[in-house]
Amino acid sequence: QSALTQPASVSGSPGQSITISCTGTSSDVGSYNYVSWYQQHPGKAPKLMIYEVSNRPSGVSNRFSGSKSGNTASLTISGLQAEDEADYYCSSYISSSTLYVFGTGTKVTVL
Amino acid sequence: EVHLEESGGGLVQPGGSLRLSCAASGFTFTTYSMNWVRQAPGKGLEWLSYISSGSSDIYYADSVKGRFTISRDNAKKSLYLQMSSLRAEDTAVYYCTRDEMRYYMDVWGKGTTVTVSS
């Protein structure tokens, strides 16, 4: 199972909005509404930011939102802040036995 | 507070074995499935293995199938990963994660580092 495709890097100025794409296939992203997004600061563990395409866990800022169209999921960060600078990974459910595939990861830089 | 803490990482020679542990606290461990995920230096995340709450369902990524064994002790609120026939490419930070319905991982430990080198 190949990793989901994400842009290597995305940047934006404080206050702007950015969108990170996550492209899979009809066997993963396109088949299930089970896309999740994780934020990882350097040297830290990943943190769940979005689950089931567009749901935010308690405590996650509403500046983070998720969506999906066809085989591509997206994470949008609005009102970009310095603390949002981190790596972001998408993930999708694949099947009852393989379970998870992660994206290649995107480094977000706040200019 | 919900918490996962991994331990057992270290330096091991190629072909060697290592057992990782993950201690859970702050939630009812017996009702949750769990996973192991790793991250090689400078690389992305890789899902390795899943175990259901009662250990009846166990799955592995192809990259570790036959070499790694996941297990759990609900009485001790602990998750384990027995790793054997280790290779240089198994060098990574290993995270244990709490699973939600097999659809996402909502709690992550801080990770433990495994280095496979002679």
Side-chain angles (χ1 to χ4, degrees):
Chain A
Q1 179 65 43
S2 299
L4 307 176
T5 301
Q6 297 180 232
S9 63
V10 173
S11 62
S13 299
Q16 287 186 329
S17 293
I18 62 169
T19 297
I20 304 168
S21 61
C22 169
T23 302
T25 69
S26 57
S27 297
D28 39 61
V29 175
S31 286
Y32 308 101
N33 288 323
Y34 299 130
V35 175
S36 51
W37 289 90
Y38 303 87
Q39 176 193 63
Q40 185 179 35
H41 287 108
K44 302 296 186 181
K47 173 188 176 183
L48 177 68
M49 303 301 284
I50 295 287
Y51 66 95
E52 294 175 356
V53 176
S54 60
N55 295 306
R56 276 189 312 277
S58 174
V60 172
S61 171
N62 59 8
R63 297 185 298 104
F64 292 84
S65 62
S67 62
K68 192 189 86 166
S69 177
N71 297 337
T72 299
S74 299
L75 174 71
T76 297
I77 309 175
S78 59
L80 199 62
Q81 298 180 1
E83 67 205 48
D84 300 331
E85 189 161 288
D87 292 327
Y88 291 82
Y89 294 91
C90 62
S91 178
S92 175
Y93 173 83
I94 305 177
S95 71
S96 59
S97 59
T98 306
L99 296 190
Y100 294 102
V101 61
F102 283 99
T104 50
T106 298
K107 181 177 181 58
V108 168
T109 301
V110 181
L111 302 172
Chain B
E1 180 190 1
V2 175
H3 188 70
L4 297 171
E5 184 166 350
E6 303 89 341
S7 60
L11 175 64
V12 60
Q13 292 189 338
S17 298
L18 205 60
R19 188 196 196 204
L20 305 183
S21 299
C22 172
S25 60
F27 65 99
T28 307
F29 184 70
T30 55
T31 63
Y32 283 90
S33 300
M34 301 292 292
N35 297 280
W36 285 99
V37 174
R38 72 182 177 186
Q39 185 172 35
K43 301 297 184 181
L45 301 171
E46 179 187 16
W47 170 79
L48 297 179
S49 185
Y50 163 98
I51 186 169
S52 61
S53 58
S55 303
S56 59
D57 295 329
I58 288 176
Y59 306 111
Y60 298 97
D62 289 343
S63 58
V64 303
K65 198 173 296 182
R67 300 189 301 123
F68 290 11
T69 301
I70 192 171
S71 63
R72 64 190 294 163
D73 185 332
N74 284 345
K76 294 183 177 179
K77 300 181 183 179
S78 292
L79 175 72
Y80 306 102
L81 186 67
Q82 178 67 47
M83 305 185 296
S84 61
S85 302
L86 284 164
R87 309 163 179 165
E89 53 264 38
D90 294 319
T91 294
V93 176
Y94 286 72
Y95 297 101
C96 71
T97 77
R98 191 174 79 172
D99 190 274
E100 190 62 54
M101 303 297 290
R102 305 186 185 186
Y103 300 146
Y104 57 94
M105 304 176 217
D106 66 341
V107 180
W108 294 62
K110 292 185 176 181
T112 187
T113 300
V114 173
T115 303
V116 183
S117 174
S118 55

